[in-house]
Amino acid sequence: MRDTRESRLLLVLLVAIAFALITVDIRGGEDSPLDKPRTAAQTVFGPVEDTVATAVDPVGNAIAAVRDSDDRHDRISSLERENAVLKQKLGSDDRNRARAAELDTMLKTAGRGQYGIKGAEVIAIGAAQGFSWTVTIDAGSNDGIARDMTVINGDGLVGRVTTVGPSTATVLLANDPDFTVGTRLEKTSEIGFANGQGDRSLRVQLLNGKAKVKKGDRMVTFGSRADRPFVPGVPVGEVVRVDPSRGDLTRTVQVRPYVGFTKLDIVGVVVKPPRTNPRDEVLPPKPAKKPTPKITVTVPPSANATPGGAAQ
């Protein structure tokens, strides 16, 4: 008990002395009698403080660095998110530009053929409908779409409408094995029938077994009675192989379709046929042939000839 009472008295005395010194220091201002002792204390304890500060500062710096690192991380994350949004927007803009170009090409194709079309977007593929090559478009009877209408895009023949709902329709693609369309060769007007072969080229049987046809020849749709299911003049494809003729009544050729059936997006359903048959007007222009370079060979004079022209 004695030690405890003495410790308390000492603590009270130290607190009283501290308050007294603080009061004297404040009242003295710049002339404070404690100024010299403070300076001496600073001289003595200053190096110790610097040493302690040097030892402690790295820890403080590390903590600050971690804090700043978090701030930088948050900023980087924010910038990454902004960058992702910008990339997504840019991608969307690129996609919109690509679709606008695709739509423009389709409208030009329809214009050359005088086809009245209803634009639509492919919204599904026909996996649920078996192994047939079909797509679903976002236009139906409410948009004037009916069964057995021709479907095109900017490249050529896509297919024909098979079933129609109020707001959607199913299109049988031209590369489906059950698809058949009458064709006509450019210039020669040889008639045939094209059948789909899935992911391979179209198989076309020309009615004339002796028809003159070669690789690179182009075909368009022949057209149907009353323009259903096919309007005339729609580009079909280009001959890539001519099978050998065996004296049959028909001749078979393989035709690469103009349309890429695995990347369909925007299509047009022909709701109004052309007033007249466009024939070959809808086919794309052929690329200009590059001129054959002329090579001039200069024969140097014989090394054995004399200046007068006589050989030695």
Side-chain angles (χ1 to χ4, degrees):
M1 295 297 293
R2 186 174 182 179
D3 294 338
T4 303
R5 187 179 298 108
E6 291 177 353
S7 299
R8 291 178 180 177
L9 290 174
L10 179 60
L11 178 61
V12 172
L13 179 61
L14 291 175
V15 171
I17 293 172
F19 275 106
L21 292 174
I22 292 172
T23 303
V24 172
D25 188 32
I26 293 174
R27 290 182 178 180
E30 295 180 355
D31 298 328
S32 172
L34 298 178
D35 185 57
K36 292 182 179 180
R38 184 187 298 111
T39 303
Q42 185 176 2
T43 303
V44 174
F45 293 106
V48 179
E49 292 176 350
D50 290 340
T51 303
V52 173
T54 303
V56 175
D57 279 347
V59 179
N61 292 337
I63 295 173
V66 172
R67 187 188 308 113
D68 293 342
S69 176
D70 291 340
D71 293 341
R72 288 195 297 270
H73 182 271
D74 293 341
R75 180 56 180 161
I76 291 173
S77 299
S78 177
L79 290 174
E80 287 177 348
R81 288 193 297 270
E82 293 175 5
N83 193 28
V85 172
L86 290 175
K87 284 184 176 180
Q88 183 177 4
K89 183 178 180 180
L90 179 60
S92 177
D93 290 342
D94 289 342
R95 174 173 167 79
N96 289 336
R97 284 193 292 268
R99 299 186 79 196
E102 187 176 351
L103 177 60
D104 183 64
T105 302
M106 184 177 70
L107 292 175
K108 289 179 179 178
T109 298
R112 290 197 303 270
Q114 304 175 21
Y115 308 129
I117 63 171
K118 173 65 179 180
E121 182 180 357
V122 174
I123 57 175
I125 58 175
Q129 302 175 18
F131 296 99
S132 60
W133 289 72
T134 62
V135 296
T136 301
I137 59 175
D138 62 349
S141 58
N142 293 340
D143 305 289
I145 308 300
R147 180 183 172 88
D148 286 337
M149 284 184 169
T150 308
V151 182
I152 67 172
N153 69 0
D155 298 320
L157 180 66
V158 172
R160 64 180 175 87
V161 177
T162 55
T163 57
V164 182
S167 58
T168 61
T170 301
V171 178
L172 183 68
L173 302 180
N175 64 336
D176 186 274
D178 292 332
F179 188 94
T180 302
V181 59
T183 62
R184 182 178 57 78
L185 269 174
E186 181 186 14
K187 294 182 180 178
T188 65
S189 297
E190 292 288 353
I191 299 172
F193 291 94
N195 296 100
Q197 297 187 110
D199 56 358
R200 295 181 293 166
S201 57
L202 304 177
R203 181 175 181 269
V204 180
Q205 284 189 308
L206 299 175
L207 299 184
N208 182 4
K210 299 180 180 180
K212 294 181 179 181
V213 58
K214 63 183 184 301
K215 183 179 179 179
D217 287 348
R218 305 187 297 178
M219 293 183 176
V220 298
T221 55
F222 179 75
S224 306
R225 185 176 180 179
D227 299 311
R228 301 277 287 272
F230 302 108
V231 294
V234 179
V236 174
E238 182 177 305
V239 176
V240 293
R241 192 183 78 210
V242 180
D243 293 346
S245 176
R246 298 183 175 86
D248 298 333
L249 296 178
T250 61
R251 189 164 194 183
T252 303
V253 297
Q254 304 297 321
V255 175
R256 181 181 66 245
Y258 288 122
V259 172
F261 298 105
T262 59
K263 53 182 180 181
L264 291 171
D265 186 8
I266 297 176
V267 299
V269 182
V270 181
V271 294
K272 185 177 180 180
R275 293 187 298 272
T276 58
N277 189 338
R279 306 292 292 182
D280 302 330
E281 295 297 323
V282 189
L283 284 168
K286 288 185 176 181
K289 293 183 179 180
K290 295 182 179 180
T292 304
K294 294 182 179 180
I295 301 176
T296 303
V297 179
T298 303
V299 179
S302 174
N304 297 326
T306 60
Q312 293 181 353

